[in-house]
Amino acid sequence: MAARVACSLRSEPYKRYLIQFAHDLLDFRLQEIKSIISLLGCQASLRNTDLNNGSPFMEVALTSEEDAKAIMHRTVLSKSMYELWAEGSSISEVNMKLKQLPKGFTEPYTQENSSFRIMVDTFNKKISSSEKIKRIELLTDTESMFKGKIKLSSPEHSFHLLEFYKFDSAPSTEPEKVYFGRWISDGHRSVIKEFHLQTRHFIANTSMDACLSLVMANLAQVKESDLVLDPFVGSGGLLVSSAHYGAYVLGTDIDYMLLHAKARPSRAKQTTRAIDESVRSNLRQYGLESKYIDVLVADASQNHMWREGWRFDAIITDPPYGIREAAAKIACKETADVPTTEGEPHYPQRTQYQLGDIFRDLLNFAAKYLCLGGRLVYWLPIYKPDYSESCIPKHPCMSLESNCEQPLSQHISRRLITMVKIREFQELSDWDEASTKVNSVNSFRNNYFKSMQAVGVLNSDSVLRSEPLTSKQEGL
């Protein structure tokens, strides 16, 4: 199966490359690569895109090695990319195909005055060092094309023999697929460790995992000098990843105490917040302060605060689900349930913000304030037994680009939704707001607590009182 992704005007012949994915966020890997290829404008053809067989390998045809390196410089879910020289169902078949390669293809990398090494890597099976040496000796026999000097540390050319073994009920003894290729580049996974939450200066209860925040920025196709907004900014994790890719970042949040670092600390054994904790300090920590515009204490439901001329290249956000953090908005006198205190009406400052209303307002905001072609990337919590694709909120100005699932428990997951603005915003009287499926989304919180109670994590009293969850109970 092949998938055509992006196009350019170049007419160079394709070269075959092999991507080795990390065994992480399995449902996100293909969509991240597609988004990066589209962002870079590469001419590419993807093959073996069905990764459900457990293989971490996918073939991609590209027109240049520079494109391959550019893709790997962005991806955080891929380990390495190789120029694919041969493939087969056994090492003998691969060795035979290697000997049939034209000299014009292999000689630039196998000459006597060059240095090389061959690495053996197996997936779903461990083999001994002696078995690896036998494979290498088979590839470097007397008739081998490899004439250069062997150098295990920092050679000019690194070649890799990659074996994939299927793992069903028991590990397989024979490989399902064997690949041989020349190493081109590693992925950009080192930045995950650099941005890890354990070393971040300012975090909150719902700070986004570093890897996920970088994936979200890639799905949003964030690039240099973009303007990116997070309307539920929290501690600003999504702003950090967007600024890392060169965007100017802006955020809003209704929680004054959190944004001003006056809320209860989120780290264990930390009793008080440091005086300099802030979203800005996070960007300063990573040398990205020049990309910081501001963070405003504001209600995401009040869209009229933005001037008509504002346009964002991307909106990336993780709305509150009402589990670990309350979902609230400013109460309106006209619609608020106004209690009477000592004979006088009391107007509450905040009121509950239903999940369905959050997503309806978010899509409306994106349709109005995104640039044409701009992207909205957000998380949608899902109760699996009730889920179907029709549950995903829709808007006539927005087109669904991708939908990736992150399982959290047997019954609960969340989906990372990517949407693209395809037409300019209009006040559409014929838009059926029920298309946001507010009833289905609004029931998520109740279903979440029911599922937790069913497995004994919560008791009925804590559900009724909506007590704060302990660290072991946090599902979202």
Side-chain angles (χ1 to χ4, degrees):
M1 185 173 77
R4 191 75 171 185
V5 182
C7 288
S8 70
L9 299 177
R10 295 174 299 177
S11 58
E12 291 92 334
Y14 282 111
K15 283 187 175 182
R16 297 170 67 199
Y17 294 88
L18 185 73
I19 295 176
Q20 181 179 6
F21 289 110
H23 198 62
D24 189 19
L25 298 173
L26 306 187
D27 199 35
F28 296 71
R29 300 178 297 182
L30 178 60
Q31 296 303 329
E32 188 206 30
I33 287 294
K34 285 184 175 181
S35 182
I36 292 171
I37 289 174
S38 174
L39 169 64
L40 298 175
C42 302
Q43 190 173 0
S45 179
L46 304 182
R47 298 187 176 94
N48 304 325
T49 56
D50 184 8
L51 301 172
N52 293 327
N53 65 347
S55 173
F57 302 106
M58 183 184 72
E59 184 181 339
V60 54
L62 298 167
T63 58
S64 72
E65 191 170 308
E66 288 71 26
D67 284 348
K69 290 179 178 178
I71 292 170
M72 297 307 288
H73 184 68
R74 283 282 307 222
T75 176
V76 295
L77 295 181
S78 304
K79 290 180 65 176
S80 303
M81 185 180 285
Y82 312 90
E83 183 182 58
L84 184 58
W85 282 24
E87 61 176 310
S89 57
S90 68
I91 185 172
S92 300
E93 182 182 352
V94 167
N95 191 32
M96 180 185 66
K97 289 183 177 179
L98 286 175
K99 293 178 178 179
Q100 295 172 352
L101 290 173
K103 288 187 177 180
F105 180 81
T106 61
E107 279 187 344
Y109 315 105
T110 59
Q111 296 177 0
E112 292 184 3
N113 60 353
S114 65
S115 61
F116 77 98
R117 69 179 177 183
I118 296 178
M119 308 291 291
V120 178
D121 189 14
T122 57
F123 189 84
N124 275 345
K125 183 179 181 179
K126 289 185 177 181
I127 62 174
S128 65
S129 297
S130 60
E131 290 177 308
K132 291 182 180 180
I133 291 173
K134 288 180 182 179
R135 286 161 167 76
I136 295 173
E137 289 175 342
L138 177 64
L139 295 171
T140 56
D141 59 19
T142 55
E143 299 178 3
S144 170
M145 69 181 76
F146 300 102
K147 306 300 182 184
K149 179 182 177 182
I150 296 175
K151 187 179 180 182
L152 298 181
S153 177
S154 303
E156 293 179 56
H157 309 293
S158 182
F159 299 94
H160 290 248
L161 180 68
L162 308 163
E163 299 181 5
F164 167 62
Y165 293 81
K166 264 197 169 182
F167 191 98
D168 296 324
S169 57
S172 175
T173 57
E174 298 297 327
E176 178 78 10
K177 200 76 172 179
V178 180
Y179 303 94
F180 185 88
R182 179 175 65 90
W183 176 85
I184 300 299
S185 177
D186 287 333
H188 199 43
R189 291 183 60 78
S190 60
V191 73
I192 299 174
K193 184 177 180 180
E194 179 186 351
F195 289 163
H196 201 283
L197 294 180
Q198 286 183 347
T199 59
R200 188 166 299 177
H201 189 60
F202 175 48
I203 64 170
N205 292 338
T206 56
S207 291
M208 182 61 62
D209 170 79
C211 181
L212 283 172
S213 65
L214 291 161
V215 170
M216 292 176 73
N218 277 332
L219 291 179
Q221 297 189 347
V222 174
K223 59 185 182 299
E224 191 73 31
S225 299
D226 276 357
L227 181 60
V228 175
L229 171 72
D230 182 356
F232 302 95
V233 70
S235 61
L238 299 178
L239 300 192
V240 169
S241 60
S242 297
H244 169 71
Y245 291 122
Y248 293 96
V249 294
L250 177 66
T252 66
D253 203 290
I254 198 173
D255 193 340
Y256 172 93
M257 298 293 286
L258 173 62
L259 291 186
H260 288 270
K262 297 180 182 298
R264 181 185 302 175
S266 300
R267 284 191 170 92
K269 300 181 181 179
Q270 182 181 355
T271 57
T272 58
R273 294 272 186 184
I275 193 171
D276 61 339
E277 286 190 42
S278 67
V279 174
R280 184 169 194 157
S281 69
N282 280 346
L283 276 85
R284 185 185 302 121
Q285 176 183 354
Y286 302 114
L288 301 171
E289 190 175 5
S290 62
K291 299 296 182 180
Y292 176 81
I293 296 178
D294 208 347
V295 169
L296 310 175
V297 180
D299 183 358
S301 70
Q302 304 298 315
N303 294 342
H304 58 265
M305 64 174 284
W306 300 96
R307 293 183 178 179
E308 289 297 326
W310 276 90
R311 288 294 182 272
F312 300 99
D313 297 286
I315 298 173
I316 310 176
T317 194
D318 181 24
Y321 314 143
I323 306 297
R324 293 168 65 182
E325 294 290 347
K329 63 178 180 177
I330 300 299
C332 176
K333 287 186 178 182
E334 288 75 17
T335 59
D337 183 14
V338 183
T340 300
T341 304
E342 296 180 358
E344 296 294 331
H346 170 71
Y347 295 98
Q349 290 183 323
R350 297 184 186 183
T351 187
Q352 187 176 2
Y353 199 5
Q354 293 286 346
L355 270 177
D357 295 334
I358 290 176
F359 294 116
R360 182 193 60 217
D361 293 344
L362 180 61
L363 263 66
N364 258 331
F365 181 84
K368 188 171 184 179
Y369 290 102
L370 273 177
C371 298
L372 196 62
R375 294 191 167 208
L376 167 66
V377 179
Y378 69 94
W379 287 100
L380 179 69
I382 292 297
Y383 181 62
K384 291 182 184 180
D386 292 345
Y387 172 75
S388 68
E389 194 164 315
S390 63
C391 297
I392 299 173
K394 299 176 179 64
H395 192 285
C397 296
M398 307 292 294
S399 173
L400 180 65
E401 180 72 11
S402 65
N403 170 13
C404 307
E405 182 183 17
Q406 182 191 20
L408 299 174
S409 69
Q410 181 180 356
H411 298 294
I412 301 296
S413 69
R414 60 178 181 176
R415 290 183 171 266
L416 186 59
I417 308 298
T418 303
M419 307 187 82
V420 180
K421 182 176 177 178
I422 57 175
R423 61 173 62 93
E424 289 296 349
F425 178 79
Q426 295 178 352
E427 296 291 347
L428 300 171
S429 59
D430 59 340
W431 175 42
D432 180 12
E433 291 191 354
S435 63
T436 58
K437 303 295 180 184
V438 295
N439 291 332
S440 175
V441 175
N442 283 341
S443 65
F444 168 77
R445 188 175 185 274
N446 290 335
N447 288 329
Y448 171 82
F449 282 116
K450 286 180 181 178
S451 67
M452 292 296 101
Q453 185 181 3
V455 296
V457 175
L458 299 173
N459 58 45
S460 58
D461 290 339
S462 63
V463 172
L464 292 174
R465 295 195 302 267
S466 296
E467 292 179 345
L469 301 180
T470 67
S471 58
K472 291 184 179 181
Q473 294 168 334
E474 291 173 350
L476 292 170

